[in-house]
Amino acid sequence: MVAIQLTVDLKPDLPREAERIKKCKGRVFALEDEPEVPRVWLPYDDAPGLAMARAFGDFCLKEYGVISIPEFTHRLLTDKDQFIVLASDGIWDVLSNEEVVEIVSSAPNRSSAARVIVESAAREWKHKYPTSKMDDCAVLCLFLDGKINSEESDCDEQCYSSATIQNNNDLSNPVELDEGQKSEPSLRRNYTVRSSEEIEKCVGGESVDVEDGTSTAEDQNWLALEGVTRVNSLVQLPRFSEEKPNS
């Protein structure tokens, strides 16, 4: 397995990013208690300390070099490409490309690959930065050969796996059970893609009219289908044309 990095984290200390920020009178430096995290600061105020050079929002820094223009790259996939790992900087700040590839390759099954990466990152955060707050960790593993785990259920069958954990508070707060017992915190898989057949299986087999977003059952509680109704209501908003009405 050879890890191929497809993107570059646009951190403020990246030479071209730092040059743009400094030209716009912004400042780039790291705090003494976290020298490993360079941040963007206003010219005459030690705020807000943004740890990235490009972002949506953060309007106070838009005049000082923080932009929201993305970078685009292309890669032609071949038979040698086996999977793609998309993750937030909470993963890449503590795990190398090679370590992530090794974790995915050695995962017991594909559905648990993302979970194992996040758990490994959480351990590394505690080890490398014991005094820092753990950054948000989100991972999605996309397998390119189209194969799925045969032992998974219908609702679990995907060609990808994903897992998310927000910060170290999630690890320090155990879940309280009904019996008063405390269990270890666990990560949830994020099921973002569903076909119409999978939706019917996962919400009890009820059919849904996609055009008007309603269910054939009168006692439908909407659940995940509520978003369909909202989207369709937006689609059905009246459209105004520039044509003048007939007099």
Side-chain angles (χ1 to χ4, degrees), residues 149-237:
N149 296 333
S150 59
E151 70 273 9
E152 293 180 349
S153 64
D154 292 335
C155 287
D156 291 345
E157 288 184 344
Q158 300 288 342
C159 293
Y160 68 89
S161 66
S162 62
T164 305
I165 190 170
Q166 292 186 348
N167 51 46
N168 57 357
N169 292 332
D170 295 335
L171 296 177
S172 59
N173 297 332
V175 179
E176 188 76 23
L177 300 179
D178 294 337
E179 296 81 0
Q181 299 177 350
K182 293 183 178 180
S183 65
E184 292 296 326
S186 60
L187 301 175
R188 294 185 305 169
R189 285 190 58 199
N190 300 328
Y191 301 108
T192 9
V193 180
R194 283 284 184 272
S195 65
S196 58
E197 293 81 5
E198 289 173 333
I199 292 177
E200 290 186 12
K201 292 178 182 178
C202 294
V203 299
E206 296 183 12
S207 60
V208 177
D209 188 348
V210 178
E211 292 185 357
D212 59 9
T214 60
S215 172
T216 56
E218 295 181 357
D219 58 346
Q220 172 69 31
N221 291 326
W222 299 111
L223 298 176
L225 300 177
E226 184 179 2
V228 177
T229 305
R230 293 177 181 174
V231 171
N232 285 322
S233 64
L234 292 176
V235 173
Q236 295 171 3
L237 288 174

Side-chain angles (χ1 to χ4, degrees), residues 18-186:
E19 182 181 0
R20 183 188 68 248
I21 293 171
K22 292 176 181 179
K23 283 183 178 179
C24 297
K25 308 303 182 183
R27 296 182 297 160
V28 177
F29 64 88
L31 298 175
E32 293 183 0
D33 57 347
E34 50 173 16
E36 71 282 351
V37 184
R39 298 180 181 275
V40 184
W41 309 87
L42 291 170
Y44 307 107
D45 188 12
D46 289 344
L50 186 66
M52 57 199 72
R54 304 192 189 193
F56 291 110
D58 297 293
F59 297 105
C60 64
L61 290 171
K62 292 302 181 182
E63 296 181 359
Y64 302 104
V66 173
I67 62 177
S68 58
I69 302 174
E71 285 190 339
F72 292 91
T73 59
H74 297 81
R75 174 178 173 80
L76 182 63
L77 296 178
T78 67
D79 293 338
K80 294 182 179 181
D81 296 314
Q82 298 190 22
F83 55 82
I84 297 175
V85 178
L86 177 66
S88 62
D89 58 352
I91 300 295
W92 305 118
D93 285 345
V94 293
L95 295 176
S96 67
N97 297 330
E98 291 73 20
E99 288 173 329
V100 170
V101 167
E102 177 63 26
I103 292 171
V104 176
S105 302
S106 59
N109 51 64
R110 295 185 174 187
S111 62
S112 65
R115 176 191 297 267
V116 177
I117 293 176
V118 172
E119 291 173 346
S120 300
R123 289 192 298 268
E124 288 300 314
W125 270 98
K126 288 184 177 181
H127 175 68
K128 294 182 177 180
Y129 309 114
T131 60
S132 299
K133 183 179 179 181
M134 185 179 69
D135 197 5
D136 297 343
C137 297
V139 183
L140 187 146
C141 301
L142 173 63
F143 297 91
L144 302 176
D145 58 6
K147 296 180 181 179
I148 53 180
N149 296 333
S150 59
E151 70 273 9
E152 293 180 349
S153 64
D154 292 335
C155 287
D156 291 345
E157 288 184 344
Q158 300 288 342
C159 293
Y160 68 89
S161 66
S162 62
T164 305
I165 190 170
Q166 292 186 348
N167 51 46
N168 57 357
N169 292 332
D170 295 335
L171 296 177
S172 59
N173 297 332
V175 179
E176 188 76 23
L177 300 179
D178 294 337
E179 296 81 0
Q181 299 177 350
K182 293 183 178 180
S183 65
E184 292 296 326
S186 60

